[in-house]
Amino acid sequence: MESSSRYGTITKGPEGYSVRIERLFAYPMEQVWQAITDPTKVAIWLAEVTMELEEGAPMRLHFTNTNCDCRGEVTRIKQPSLLEYTWQLEQEPPSLVRWELFPVGNMACRLVLTHQQLTGDVSSFAAGWHVHLDILEELLNDKVDSFYWTWQMWKPKYEEYKERFKP
């Protein structure tokens, strides 16, 4: 994937599909780490979260816009560069979400999000993560202070990912 592309890649492997999205942020790695792990910040760009930052700890994401819960467990953590957890939405098989942060100089970092072991409509997941990462960027830029994800934001990205990824 080219670093200038804001779109992720979708691949098929033996355990299902994977979505991988990279973003370059003009903020130090520690600041981006805080944005992806601090419950008050995560609630702005993703969902309400209950999670301890230790391996084996349970986690729960509650998406207020859909009243949907995602449950999982922290499987790996290395502050401030790696967070991995299982992800299971209601009525769906479990999958794995991995956040990796890499410093780019002193004042920037590259975020790599990988969501693995997906089944079903993987373009839906890709579009959802794309929009959530757009909102994360707005949070880092102090342009948003409350949750506002909408289906109208998701729908065009979903159509674009479906077009880009034709299994």
Side-chain angles (χ1 to χ4, degrees), residues 1 3 5-9 19-27 32-33 35-37 41-47 63 83 85 87 97-101 109-115 124-144 147-150 153-154 157 161:
M1 178 169 83
S3 60
S5 173
R6 296 185 59 80
Y7 284 87
T9 58
V19 173
R20 184 175 192 273
I21 302 176
E22 291 188 34
R23 294 287 173 95
L24 183 62
F25 295 116
Y27 296 95
V32 177
W33 176 261
I36 66 170
T37 60
K41 295 185 182 308
V42 176
I44 294 171
W45 67 270
L46 181 60
F63 295 88
L83 174 62
Y85 48 83
W87 170 287
V97 174
R98 180 180 180 98
W99 301 89
E100 296 174 279
L101 300 177
C109 90
R110 180 170 53 98
L111 178 147
V112 178
L113 165 67
T114 309
H115 193 160
S124 177
F125 279 98
W129 283 121
H130 189 112
V131 173
H132 285 294
L133 290 175
D134 286 349
I135 299 170
L136 172 60
E137 185 170 12
E138 290 181 17
L139 171 70
L140 288 165
N141 291 326
D142 291 325
K143 293 183 178 178
V144 61
F147 185 82
Y148 74 95
W149 190 98
T150 67
M153 297 163 68
W154 171 85
K157 297 298 180 207
Y161 275 100

Side-chain angles (χ1 to χ4, degrees), residues 8 14 20 26 30 44 62 67 75 77 87-88 94 100 119 140:
R20 184 175 192 273
E30 293 75 15
I44 294 171
H62 177 71
N67 198 30
T75 55
I77 186 162
W87 170 287
Q88 187 164 15
E100 296 174 279
T119 58
L140 288 165

